[in-house]
Amino acid sequence: MFPYGEIEKKIGYSFKNKELLLEAFTHSTYANTYGGRDNERMEYLGDAVLQLVVTEWQYERYQKADEGTMTRGRQMLVCEEALLDAVRDLGIEKYLLVSGSRANVGKKTVSSLFETVTAAIYLDGGYSAAKTFVCQFGLDHINAATVTENAKGDLQEYLQNLGEKPPIYETKKIGKDNAPVFYATVFALGRQEKGEGKSKKQAEQSAAANLLRELKKVKK
């Protein structure tokens, strides 16, 4: 029996049409073996909805940001790693229906669950419901400052310009699965700084921003 209620509790949305939720979690291998609709079309639709939600969110929040800055920020927010973090923070990876070994399920397949769930909510409850989901479990897991500046990328570029090695990150998770806090430490040039956030990515971005700020102080 597919655990509709468990998933709905985790994603904060109750479906009127439960079949949409089932489809969102049905991988093509499972559909090919057991029948039913796979989630590939939902992934396509969900990507479009996600892009719109993020773009609208940026447009409203960052009044002075130019197109290039917002484009880079959007790419960071909807990239595979960001969506993978969001899916794992939600704890919904285990519900993906696949045929064969789960060891063969790659990061792209897991990260796309965020897009398929977004699409399912959009189809069931409309744009407003989908936007609420994306903002709560996608955007709100990332420090707002990282939308207009990629601190990890900036730190790596700063070190490369000095001919130094890339930074090293250590991250740990504290608290319950439904309300985790991540703590990250970044090491470079014999120094270290810490950061925290509601996701691994947010914590690492925070740590990177803190270290970059301190390194620039020393250089001055």
Side-chain angles (χ1 to χ4, degrees), residues 62-209:
Y62 298 99
Q63 301 288 330
K64 297 182 179 180
D66 59 29
E67 180 184 358
T69 298
M70 289 195 293
T71 298
R72 290 191 295 273
R74 183 176 61 193
Q75 289 172 343
M76 186 180 68
L77 287 170
V78 301
C79 72
E80 180 180 310
E81 288 299 323
L83 298 184
L84 185 65
D85 283 346
V87 168
R88 289 177 172 170
D89 287 347
L90 280 165
I92 58 176
E93 177 183 356
K94 61 185 178 181
Y95 302 116
L96 178 66
L97 298 175
V98 297
S99 179
S101 174
R102 295 189 71 87
N104 295 327
V105 176
K107 289 183 178 180
K108 179 64 172 67
T109 298
V110 176
S111 67
S112 68
L113 275 177
F114 195 87
E115 294 166 323
T116 61
V117 170
T118 297
I121 293 174
Y122 172 77
L123 291 170
D124 190 73
Y127 178 73
S128 179
K131 181 179 179 180
T132 296
F133 169 74
V134 172
C135 289
Q136 181 176 358
F137 296 107
L139 297 177
D140 283 357
H141 278 283
I142 300 176
N143 192 319
T146 68
V147 177
T148 53
E149 57 181 21
N150 180 358
K152 289 181 67 175
D154 289 346
L155 175 60
Q156 183 156 330
E157 182 178 356
Y158 179 83
L159 294 171
Q160 286 176 341
N161 290 337
L162 294 177
E164 299 289 341
K165 295 180 180 179
I168 296 174
Y169 295 88
E170 292 182 358
T171 309
K172 62 180 180 180
K173 176 182 175 183
I174 304 294
K176 299 179 180 179
D177 288 340
N178 64 342
V181 178
F182 291 81
Y183 295 91
T185 304
V186 59
F187 303 86
L189 293 178
R191 300 175 64 91
Q192 67 181 60
E193 287 293 335
K194 300 182 182 296
E196 65 178 82
K198 294 181 180 179
S199 71
K200 177 183 176 183
K201 182 174 290 291
Q202 180 180 344
E204 291 181 350
Q205 289 282 4
S206 176

